[in-house]
């Protein structure tokens, strides 16, 4: 049975941003740089990127900081020693604790995938499977509308990991076949 899903904007946001990471460019809005090689070598950077992206997207349209490309600038600073930025990436805003509960689940899944045997290096080399994995996660997240908490974090992550294994490990069969509603890419 389909759970109480996230709002459509949140569902789209999960897939869109992870697809951008998998394709190595257009990290937030306007970048034309190619980051894939760096991300394959430094997959833990993906977690930091997600935290910066989600934290800044949570500020809202009335906060001018929302329109800065913090994640792109931070990544450029990591890759290119000649890049100078006045941004303070140690801002307390950029922390896991300040994220929405569903955003924390996305990061928790990302950490699990990084620790998998093939992990993000395989996903970033192939590009598109990452969108399907995060679609399964997003579609399975069950939100308690009263307090915005995720009611089934372990289940949502487990289903996404099963999709990861289905796509990456030849011949892997999930414990239960995926239902159509789990596979919708928004």
């Amino acid at each position: 049975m389909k759970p109480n899903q996230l709002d459509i904007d949140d569902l789209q946001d999960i897939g869109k941003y992870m697809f951008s990471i998998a394709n190595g460019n257009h990290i937030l809005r306007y970048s034309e740089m190619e980051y894939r090689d760096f991300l394959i070598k430094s997959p833990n950077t993906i977690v930091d990127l997600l935290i910066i992206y989600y934290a800044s997207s949570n500020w809202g349209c009335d906060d001018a900081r929302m329109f800065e490309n913090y994640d792109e600038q931070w990544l450029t600073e990591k890759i290119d020693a000649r890049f100078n930025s006045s941004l303070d990436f140690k801002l307390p805003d950029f922390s896991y604790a300040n994220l929405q509960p569903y955003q924390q689940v996305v990061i928790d899944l990302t950490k699990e995938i990084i620790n998998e045997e093939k992990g993000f290096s395989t996903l970033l080399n192939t590009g598109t499977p990452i969108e399907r994995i995060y679609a399964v996660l997003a579609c399975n997240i069950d939100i308690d509308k009263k307090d915005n908490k995720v009611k089934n974090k372990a289940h949502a992550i487990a289903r996404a990991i099963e999709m990861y294994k289905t796509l990456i490990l030849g011949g892997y069969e999930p414990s239960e076949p995926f239902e159509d509603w789990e596979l919708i890419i928004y």
Side-chain angles (χ1 to χ4, degrees):
M1 186 171 155
K2 190 173 182 176
N4 299 314
Q5 282 193 315
L6 293 164
D7 293 334
I8 188 70
D9 289 343
D10 296 331
L11 286 165
Q12 289 175 334
D13 198 42
I14 292 172
K16 175 182 69 178
Y17 193 71
M18 294 313 298
F19 184 75
S20 296
I21 289 175
N23 282 289
N25 58 7
H26 194 69
I27 291 299
L28 184 50
R29 294 185 181 90
Y30 309 113
S31 176
E32 293 180 0
M33 287 186 65
E34 176 66 47
Y35 298 117
R36 190 179 352 225
D37 290 344
F38 176 77
L39 295 176
I40 288 171
K41 292 175 192 166
S42 311
N44 286 311
T45 303
I46 297 167
V47 172
D48 296 323
L49 272 175
L50 278 167
I51 291 173
I52 292 169
Y53 171 70
Y54 279 137
S56 59
S57 69
N58 289 343
W59 288 333
C61 292
D62 57 342
D63 191 325
R65 295 177 301 172
M66 179 187 175
F67 301 99
E68 295 290 327
N69 295 323
Y70 286 98
D71 50 353
E72 180 187 329
Q73 293 180 53
W74 175 82
L75 188 55
T76 304
E77 190 173 75
K78 287 279 185 189
I79 295 172
D80 188 349
R82 296 166 300 168
F83 179 79
N84 294 314
S85 172
S86 61
L87 296 174
D88 179 6
F89 293 111
K90 292 182 174 59
L91 288 172
D93 288 342
F94 294 131
S95 74
Y96 175 91
N98 288 339
L99 302 183
Q100 296 291 323
Y102 85 87
Q103 295 168 337
Q104 292 175 346
V105 173
V106 173
I107 288 168
D108 294 343
L109 169 65
T110 304
K111 288 178 180 177
E112 286 203 29
I113 291 175
I114 287 169
N115 291 327
E116 289 287 332
E117 182 181 349
K118 296 191 177 186
F120 267 96
S121 58
T122 303
L123 291 171
L124 293 172
N125 274 326
T126 56
T128 53
I130 199 168
E131 191 175 21
R132 292 182 68 191
I133 294 163
Y134 282 84
V136 168
L137 176 74
C139 290
N140 270 283
I141 289 176
D142 188 356
I143 297 289
D144 185 333
K145 298 293 184 181
K146 292 177 191 164
D147 62 8
N148 205 28
K149 301 287 186 205
V150 176
K151 298 193 298 188
N152 66 340
K153 173 182 166 180
H155 172 75
I157 289 177
R159 290 301 279 168
I161 290 291
E162 287 205 296
M163 176 54 77
Y164 164 85
K165 290 178 178 177
T166 300
L167 294 170
I168 300 302
L169 307 175
Y172 179 83
E173 292 290 330
S175 59
E176 296 178 26
F178 290 102
E179 296 186 41
D180 290 344
W181 62 264
E182 292 181 277
L183 303 173
I184 297 169
I185 297 176
Y186 289 88

